[in-house]
Amino acid sequence: MYFIRKKTVAVLLIALPLASFSQFSITGKVKINNSKEVVEGATISIDNTFSTSLSKSDGSFEFKNMAKGKYILHTSYVGFQNKSDTIALEKNMTIVIELSENNILMDEVVVSSTRVDDKSAMAYSNVNKEQITEQNLGQDLPYLLNQQTSVVTTSDAGTGVGYTGIRIRGSDATRVNVTINGIPVNDAESQGTYWVDLPDIASSIDNIQIQRGVGTSTNGAGAFGGSLNIQTTKLNPKPYGEVNSSYGSFNTFKNTVNVGSGLINDKFAFDARLSKINSDGFIDRATSDLKSYYLSGAYYGKKTIIKFITFSGVEETYLAWNGVPESRLNGDVQGMKDYITRNYLDDEDAANLLNSNSRTYNMFTYKNQVDHYKQDYYQLHFSHEFNRNWNTNIALHYTKGKGYYEEYRKADAFSNYGLDNVIMGTDTITSTNLVRRRWLNNDFYGTVFSLNYTNNKQFSATLGGAWNQYRGLHYGEIIWAQHASNSVLHNNYYNDTANKTDFNVFIKANYKIGESLYLIADLQYRTVDYSFLGFNSNLKNVEQNAALHFFNPKFGVNYNMSDKSSVYASYSIGNKEPGRDDYTQSTPQSRPLAEKLRDIEIGYKRKGKVMMIGFNFYAMKYDNQLVLTGKVNDVGAYNRTNVANSYRQGIEGEIGLRIVKQLMWNMNATWSQNKVEHFEEYMDEYDELGNITGQRQNSYTLTNIAFSPNFVAGSTFIFEPIKNLKFSFISKYVGEQFLDNTSNESRKLKPYFVNDFRINYSIKTKLIREIGFIVAVNNLFSEKYESNGYTYSYVNNGKPVTENFYFPQAGINFMAGLVLKF
């Protein structure tokens, strides 16, 4: 690490003085075409540099210390057509940039109410279509975001296809709010996002904004670690067609067809996509069969957009969610034999454990141990601009999900299914081998809305909100049993309905003082009403209800020190309700409390010609954070428990450096502390007959929050020797992570350092508009690492026992893609 630091300092010392040879300036004004009216707040950027400038109240802007040469200036402003100007700089220049108003309203207004910009006081990153496309070979969206600041990803199958997850600042999927075009995506009950239900959604994304921390007011479950605001395909005024195919290791295929009508009669546009992804997975039998489509039709008027969007995903994934026992991962034969004895594995399962590959073991062997789910999304967006200052967005949405996971159960008790024991002669049979399906059938619908006011000289504000309704049906059925007892095919052995109403309203405003100071306020009121089948005080299942009311204020200040640099600070409060299991597996007396987060963000950003740099300090203080402790509650469930005080605090750094014209380096790193101030662990105690006799309690002070590495870093070197040929060397380091909140050294994920290599090349021809090639080598040095896991502990005959399980990731693997654009 010392050698690396020395080399990094040396590169910076060489690269930074390059700016000193610059000697000219570009000054100018931004005006409206054929008018004397100036434009304040337009963004002017210079191609192949980090330099940007915002036009001031008199429309003026300036770029200093520019070297002699040719530059391309890009100017953009909402409601106006983007403009590019080529400048041959040989002396100090003064120019006028004239912008023309758009003839139609553009898609940006659809997501404007949930987005932030450089005038905000939030920590955020923007990911554009090009960044997504150049790495899209079939992996789920979390893996395409792996290089973003404070992000850690994981995959059950070990390849990034199938069940994948994303954590931001150590916060899991239930604490990361996801919206698509402003519509909430997180499951209303579990509050997680299941990317396997959105296969190849990346092929229909135009841009993503990642907000870290509480973020701005959003629609859906509260953001406790971050937010992903996704915008799908925007208007492409020209007709297009695209075929995208890739193949790689583990028999991974991706085939995608994209088509678009372009703008018809200057008013209408249609876009469509079909995708198919298959993979055998790295883990044994961890196959994925994924299908999806995207379809949109829109009317674009000068003042109005009406856009209908529908997309769907169908997945069938062989289950790999139980991971690999530690003894199998380490090849510890005696440890595996002990594991077999402790867990009463039969001969078939024992042979599978002992004879499998240590890194690809899957405990499931039943051929149809699969998760099968289909989710359909429907969105109708209406946007209208009343005048240059006022616009509104109203959206209706409906999501239909239905599916099951099927599993083979050995020697399962009849009593678990409300069935009678089977009498055969003088023998009483109390259990049977069976196959069951556990179903989820849900409907989610509602509306989101906003009214936006912008006076670009001084003030902007948004009044918005959402009303969302969820109706879920959970049920199970036995589809085969060795001994049927009194079961009837397709009869449900349990039924559990749930209803949830989520309403929020917010107002946020940005007020400018002078030329440089911005004050930000964002106030949200949110109510949640949740009814479900839970336990009453007599431990009987009855209909329960929980009603919660939250106030989530946010305040910030942003000061532009110059055109190149700014500082900001914000203070936010977020509240979040418990999840489904927290409610259904408790009584009103043992029901956990809602969580509260206080978030402080302080940052600095600077953008120059050859370097971009940013630092953000955050302090996130939790009240009543919900964590697993192992404690059994009053209904015998191992529910999450509130811990009174816990926190995350850290520094995020981002650097972009153009070392020479052909070579760029982007790097980010996060140093953090993530602590529970006081933690109680509970372990079941078993006697020699396997009966639970009680629980042992262990107390800890100032332990690490599970799955929260103290150091995360990403690095990408991009070398572009000729136009349209790009070589990328990509690195990711993730520090050690603990599997629970005890900071026990025997229960953790080891740190890992993974390197990838990618080649992107494209050519233009007369017959085909563009032919693109992508070659990716993932985990170039075949690092053996595990990105996820879990643990549980108990006491057996007075001796503590810990069972650790891990999710190994694939070694070196390859993907290659061909893109044909028409």
Side-chain angles (χ1 to χ4, degrees), residues 622-730:
Y622 297 90
D623 295 336
N624 297 315
Q625 184 176 191
L626 283 165
V627 301
L628 287 170
T629 64
K631 185 177 182 179
V632 178
N633 67 8
D634 53 359
V635 299
Y638 298 90
N639 251 21
R640 295 190 299 173
T641 302
N642 295 115
V643 291
N645 297 303
S646 56
Y647 63 86
R648 301 180 188 276
Q649 59 186 25
I651 298 175
E652 299 166 323
E654 298 174 300
I655 296 175
L657 180 65
R658 186 167 289 278
I659 300 172
V660 293
K661 184 177 181 180
Q662 296 83 9
L663 180 61
M664 179 181 286
W665 178 43
N666 296 317
M667 189 275 285
N668 61 71
T670 302
W671 297 264
S672 64
Q673 288 186 328
N674 312 276
K675 300 291 185 179
V676 178
E677 293 189 5
H678 183 75
F679 180 73
E680 298 289 336
E681 176 192 29
Y682 295 84
M683 302 164 61
D684 287 342
E685 293 187 303
Y686 291 85
D687 60 21
E688 65 276 4
L689 299 177
N691 300 311
I692 297 178
T693 59
Q695 286 198 307
R696 179 181 295 185
Q697 183 176 349
N698 299 313
S699 298
Y700 303 88
T701 301
L702 214 60
T703 59
N704 291 281
I705 301 176
F707 302 106
S708 300
N710 290 339
F711 182 67
V712 177
S715 169
T716 303
F717 284 95
I718 302 172
F719 178 55
E720 195 168 0
I722 60 174
K723 188 176 181 180
N724 299 326
L725 175 62
K726 186 184 294 184
F727 299 94
S728 302
F729 185 75
I730 306 153

Side-chain angles (χ1 to χ4, degrees), residues 408-423:
Y408 180 74
R409 304 277 295 180
K410 294 183 179 180
D412 217 350
F414 288 119
S415 59
N416 290 335
Y417 303 91
L419 300 177
D420 299 333
N421 292 334
V422 173
I423 308 299

Side-chain angles (χ1 to χ4, degrees), residues 111-353:
V111 296
S112 61
S113 63
T114 56
R115 293 292 178 98
V116 296
D117 58 25
D118 284 340
K119 295 178 287 187
S120 75
M122 305 288 181
Y124 73 97
S125 302
N126 290 327
V127 183
N128 61 37
K129 185 178 181 67
E130 181 183 358
Q131 293 171 294
I132 297 168
T133 300
E134 66 184 14
Q135 56 179 319
N136 183 14
L137 291 167
Q139 291 180 312
D140 291 348
L141 188 61
Y143 268 61
L144 306 188
L145 302 177
N146 186 48
Q147 286 301 110
Q148 299 302 309
T149 305
S150 297
V151 165
V152 176
T153 60
T154 184
S155 167
D156 285 8
T159 59
V161 179
Y163 270 93
T164 58
I166 184 171
R167 296 189 180 99
I168 300 177
R169 292 183 178 174
S171 297
D172 65 17
T174 66
R175 290 171 164 84
V176 176
N177 182 277
V178 180
T179 59
I180 296 181
N181 303 319
I183 307 298
V185 175
N186 297 64
D187 179 79
E189 291 191 278
S190 71
Q191 301 171 22
T193 300
Y194 302 96
W195 299 102
V196 71
D197 300 333
L198 293 161
D200 202 27
I201 187 64
S203 291
S204 295
I205 290 177
D206 183 85
N207 61 81
I208 302 171
Q209 185 172 92
I210 303 173
Q211 299 172 10
R212 304 187 297 277
V214 171
T216 189
S217 288
T218 55
N219 303 310
F224 257 48
S227 302
L228 296 181
N229 296 311
I230 299 169
Q231 183 171 21
T232 57
T233 303
K234 298 196 300 185
L235 172 65
N236 190 330
K238 296 182 179 180
Y240 67 92
E242 180 180 318
V243 178
N244 188 321
S245 295
S246 58
Y247 176 75
S249 300
F250 316 112
N251 206 28
T252 302
F253 281 95
K254 172 181 175 286
N255 290 292
T256 301
V257 177
N258 273 299
V259 295
S261 67
L263 198 57
I264 302 172
N265 296 329
D266 294 328
K267 296 292 183 184
F268 302 95
F270 301 90
D271 297 277
R273 172 183 57 83
L274 283 174
S275 299
K276 180 82 162 63
I277 300 173
N278 289 91
S279 179
D280 290 343
F282 169 66
I283 301 298
D284 292 342
R285 297 174 294 282
T287 57
S288 296
D289 182 1
L290 314 174
K291 307 178 187 70
S292 66
Y293 74 80
Y294 174 92
L295 179 65
S296 70
Y299 164 80
Y300 291 91
K302 184 173 176 60
K303 299 289 186 180
T304 302
I305 297 175
I306 301 174
K307 190 169 188 177
F308 174 75
I309 301 171
T310 178
F311 50 99
S312 177
V314 181
E315 61 90 7
E316 184 167 285
T317 308
Y318 194 95
L319 300 182
W321 56 28
N322 276 11
V324 178
E326 186 172 34
S327 57
R328 175 66 277 176
L329 185 68
N330 296 332
D332 177 3
V333 176
Q334 185 57 52
M336 285 186 277
K337 291 179 178 178
D338 293 341
Y339 175 85
I340 291 167
T341 301
R342 290 195 306 268
N343 293 277
Y344 306 101
L345 269 61
D346 63 17
D347 291 343
E348 179 186 9
D349 289 338
N352 179 40
L353 178 67

